[in-house]
Amino acid sequence: QVHLVESGGGLVQPGGSLRLSCAASRSILSIDVMGWHRQAPGKQRELVASLTYGQYTYYADSVKGRFTISRDNAKNTVFLEMNSLKPEDTAVYYCNYKTGPLWSGDWGQGTQVTVSS
């Protein structure tokens, strides 16, 4: 099992930027897919971005062109660069992984992102 810890969230004004980090407890070289999800108040959790070991990326339409997912395998870390932030991006952001059809059920605390003036 891989334990993941998210960080980098905070309060930012609309149009601002944040970089979220996801630190893994061990090597992520054996993991097929890493991803970022978010959950806003009153809404279900949604996948916003994912990245395979082969560098194939997926982005939700709501964040495409604004967010970038990347990984540094040497540092066992996954990043989410968030630009041109909007109030509707306000949510708790979670890092997760999968090696098959389902995401791990071991969800962490996440990191809070609040976009407000």
Side-chain angles (χ1 to χ4, degrees):
Q1 295 289 336
V2 179
H3 298 283
L4 305 173
V5 179
E6 302 94 339
S7 63
L11 175 64
V12 64
Q13 294 185 347
S17 299
L18 285 173
R19 189 181 76 161
L20 307 184
S21 297
C22 171
S25 60
R26 63 171 177 83
S27 174
I28 58 175
L29 288 172
S30 62
I31 298 175
D32 292 334
V33 185
M34 301 294 301
W36 287 94
H37 298 71
R38 68 184 181 187
Q39 187 167 28
K43 300 183 68 177
Q44 66 183 40
R45 184 157 48 210
E46 64 173 338
L47 176 66
V48 298
S50 65
L51 175 67
T52 69
Y53 182 80
Q55 304 301 308
Y56 175 81
T57 58
Y58 162 84
Y59 296 97
D61 288 341
S62 59
V63 307
K64 193 172 298 182
R66 300 188 297 118
F67 291 9
T68 302
I69 186 172
S70 62
R71 66 163 96 189
D72 186 335
N73 292 324
K75 296 182 178 180
N76 299 332
T77 304
V78 181
F79 303 99
L80 185 68
E81 182 71 31
M82 310 166 67
N83 299 311
S84 301
L85 284 163
K86 305 174 181 180
E88 52 262 44
D89 294 319
T90 296
V92 178
Y93 284 72
Y94 300 91
C95 181
N96 209 342
Y97 70 95
K98 65 177 181 179
T99 57
L102 300 177
W103 295 96
S104 170
D106 186 17
W107 298 93
Q109 282 191 298
T111 185
Q112 175 72 49
V113 172
T114 302
V115 184
S116 176
S117 60

